[in-house]
Amino acid sequence: MILSALNDYYQRLAEEEKVPLPGFSSEKVSFCLVFSQDGKPLQIDDLRDTSGKKPRPSPCQVPVDKRRTSGIHAYPLWDKTAYALGVSAGEGKRLADEHAAFKARQFVLFGESDDPDLSAFLRLLDQWRPERLAELPGYGEEVLDTNVIFRLDGQRQYLHENREARRLWSVALESDEGGVGQCLITGELAPLGTDHPAIRGVRDAQSSGASLVSFNSDAYESYGYSKNQNASISKSAIFGYSTALNHLLRGDADNRQRLQIGDATVVFWAKARDTAHAEAAEGFFAMLNEPPSDEQEAAKLGTLLKQVAEGRILAELDPMLEADTQFFVLGLAPNAARLSVRFWHVDSLEHLAQHYAYHHQDMSLDPSPWKGVAPAMWRLLFATAPSRDGKAKAEDVSPQLAGELTRAILTGSRYPHSLLTNVIMRMRNDGDISGIRVALCKAVLARQGRLSAHSNSTTQEVPVSLDPHSTHPGYLLGRLFAELENAQERAIPNANATIRDRYYGAASATPASVFPVLLRNTQNHLSKLRKGDEKDKAIAGAIARSISEIVDGLKDQFPKSLLIEDQGRFAIGYYHQSRARFANKGSFAKNAEAEQGESE
């Protein structure tokens, strides 16, 4: 299914002329050797891109039949200098053999051609001496070990673009060296291929590329076939799927079809009735996974997702987004010299949009920790990693958790329970009770309650904003802890550490062992405030009233321990109560004035 979908996507890209034709590959080329009609080398042209700080090779579509591994294999009409010119920066033991293989292959492919350009090229090879390279104008040591192409003097096109050269190369590719059989991808009878090109661009995989299809052990072989002969795939289909996947994985700055989620490099594409609708769907999905930084645009996306969650048809919101557009999402992770499929998801655009809308709905908090819509998935995963000085590292993100979270968002299924456990553990360990972490706790609990087949009638809904009427012990304890911290901060401004730094983990896990001590200390803090000016006295009264109301809801009993779900509600209650006082900076002053009026 994966290879078939990729091969279909190649057909679309080929029609748009965005990818090479069969038998060609986009390779990084740095220099060109210009030669005369009589085969004399004239100069070296620099083809590198010099727009940046450092010259970079330019992409060029050149003939390629299979990838080069440990053996010697030359390419037609281009190659690195060791093969094409017999020159290298090092003294390789097989340098002469590589150059001889290059010359031999060019004569095999083009030796019988009467094309004047190809004949001139063969004359160049016949009389070429490696030591002559250093004498050519334009030569520098940076030429060595780069890819070079060729051009006949006076011609605008390069030799590999020559019409006769391409015809002869096509004839060579059509040889049924691998035998004819039924292709597993297309179902057609066609020449079968045995070499699958390297897939490049997957983070942390080998820089030279890794294999998606390969057989390296007898245990994977059967019916007398060896290695890749066990995968009955035609040459054209192999070229199609590999070219499409390498296109999706390209490192261009304008590539919005590639994401990094944990250790998985994710690519996606759409299949619609025409290119315009497919590209619109791909752009929309890219925006869902990397929301715009502009506050106004983020707000527009948030409004659209809210309408989708409420049942609005996607096409009504944007005519270019058709509900039945088929969408493909593929996650790849490195595995030595090979690639592992971390996840593969196929769905309609309408369903994907609904699932993302539910995700943003489940993540919603008031006050919101972000502007517009929930952050990108990689930011959510960073919140599950250890925080060092407020920063997390990608290698600390659990690959399994990243895959499960992605799958839950794409399919609308339950979030992994390990997500809640992981986030709570991180908050207890590093004391970073960030809005994103609290939102993840809220999302897991909210979706779990919504999707529960046998909903417990005693289970309260997870609130989006501060709920003063909630009687859930975990939520009330979180609110109480925030108020106790507030009393400490008011009594001891600019303290080096608060009760959150010392007691948050214990208070959320074993409340009965911590809260009685904290409440006694809070009386000292309130007593100190009451000895201050009128404003401090009023603030002390407002905090004491808030604490009393919360404790009354607990019925004067602190649970010995809290389940992991209740610890999640503890974090939500703490977030709501602590943010509420920041939302209205004058709330305590207003309460103070009210209390003063009552006392008078």
Side-chain angles (χ1 to χ4, degrees), residues 1-3 6 199 202 211-213 241 245 263-267 269 329-335 338-345 399 403 407:
M1 179 63 181
I2 297 176
L3 302 186
L6 284 168
I199 305 302
V202 175
S211 298
L212 185 60
V213 178
Y241 93 76
L245 186 52
D263 72 332
T265 301
V266 182
V267 293
W269 65 99
V329 185
L330 173 64
L332 299 172
N335 181 13
R338 293 166 183 80
L339 298 176
S340 296
V341 177
R342 183 72 71 195
F343 51 83
W344 166 245
H345 185 68
R407 195 171 292 109

Side-chain angles (χ1 to χ4, degrees), residues 406-594:
T406 305
R407 195 171 292 109
I409 295 174
L410 291 174
T411 62
S413 58
R414 293 173 185 253
Y415 294 106
H417 198 269
S418 59
L419 175 62
L420 179 63
T421 305
N422 193 291
V423 170
I424 289 175
M425 179 182 66
R426 294 304 174 205
M427 290 192 291
R428 294 181 59 182
N429 289 346
D430 57 34
D432 182 12
I433 322 299
S434 67
I436 289 181
R437 285 180 169 178
V438 175
L440 286 171
C441 292
K442 188 258 179 182
V444 174
L445 296 173
R447 183 168 294 191
Q448 180 176 296
R450 191 176 73 248
L451 298 181
S452 178
H454 304 285
S455 180
N456 187 346
S457 59
T458 62
T459 302
Q460 298 182 22
E461 185 177 348
V462 183
V464 175
S465 58
L466 180 64
D467 182 6
H469 304 295
S470 174
T471 58
H472 194 285
Y475 187 76
L476 286 172
L477 288 168
R479 290 183 59 201
L480 178 58
F481 190 81
E483 282 302 290
L484 300 183
E485 181 185 39
N486 183 31
Q488 181 191 36
E489 291 177 342
R490 295 284 183 170
I492 312 174
N494 303 318
N496 292 331
T498 67
I499 61 172
R500 184 185 69 179
D501 302 311
R502 297 183 59 186
Y503 295 106
Y504 180 88
S508 64
T510 55
S513 64
V514 175
F515 272 98
V517 177
L518 295 179
L519 282 169
R520 285 195 295 270
N521 291 338
T522 298
Q523 294 306 315
N524 296 329
H525 298 149
L526 294 177
S527 177
K528 182 178 179 180
L529 285 171
R530 292 188 181 105
K531 294 177 182 179
D533 56 22
E534 293 300 319
K535 181 179 179 181
D536 285 345
K537 291 178 182 179
I539 288 174
I543 294 177
R545 180 191 295 180
S546 180
I547 290 175
S548 177
E549 291 175 354
I550 297 173
V551 171
D552 287 344
L554 290 166
K555 300 179 181 179
D556 298 325
Q557 291 184 349
F558 295 110
K560 291 184 179 180
S561 62
L562 290 179
L563 298 174
I564 198 70
E565 290 84 0
D566 295 337
Q567 292 181 44
R569 288 182 182 263
F570 184 101
I572 298 169
Y574 173 82
Y575 176 86
H576 282 161
Q577 189 69 28
S578 59
R579 293 303 187 277
R581 68 173 185 264
F582 293 124
N584 298 303
K585 294 183 179 179
S587 60
F588 281 103
K590 293 178 182 178
N591 290 339
E593 292 175 1

Side-chain angles (χ1 to χ4, degrees), residues 241-373:
Y241 93 76
S242 60
T243 303
L245 186 52
N246 278 318
H247 174 81
L248 289 166
L249 290 166
R250 68 194 186 280
D252 299 350
D254 63 343
N255 183 8
R256 299 190 63 201
Q257 292 177 255
R258 169 180 167 172
L259 305 167
Q260 193 66 38
I261 302 177
D263 72 332
T265 301
V266 182
V267 293
F268 56 88
W269 65 99
K271 183 178 181 181
R273 59 190 175 96
D274 56 39
T275 299
H277 286 82
E279 290 180 346
E282 291 160 358
F284 176 64
F285 189 78
M287 185 167 57
L288 291 177
N289 287 279
E290 191 64 57
S293 56
D294 181 77
E295 186 174 351
Q296 186 175 3
E297 292 299 320
K300 289 181 181 179
L301 178 59
T303 301
L304 185 147
L305 289 174
K306 183 179 179 180
Q307 292 175 323
V308 171
E310 293 172 350
R312 288 286 300 277
I313 299 175
L314 197 60
E316 293 179 358
L317 304 173
D318 187 341
M320 294 300 293
L321 302 178
E322 296 183 329
D324 59 349
T325 296
Q326 196 172 19
F327 218 89
F328 307 89
V329 185
L330 173 64
L332 299 172
N335 181 13
R338 293 166 183 80
L339 298 176
S340 296
V341 177
R342 183 72 71 195
F343 51 83
W344 166 245
H345 185 68
V346 181
D347 207 342
S348 68
L349 181 63
E350 181 180 38
H351 287 163
L352 279 176
Q354 289 173 348
H355 295 157
Y356 270 84
Y358 295 148
H359 165 66
H360 287 273
Q361 189 178 63
D362 292 334
M363 288 282 295
S364 62
L365 274 178
D366 185 19
S368 178
W370 47 76
K371 297 177 181 179
V373 291

Side-chain angles (χ1 to χ4, degrees), residues 19 32 52 103 115 164 185 219 224 232 280 282 299 355 394 404 426 435 444 508 569 572:
V19 291
C32 173
K103 292 175 63 176
D115 182 85
E164 178 64 11
I185 293 179
S232 178
E282 291 160 358
H355 295 157
E404 291 177 347
R426 294 304 174 205
V444 174
S508 64
R569 288 182 182 263
I572 298 169

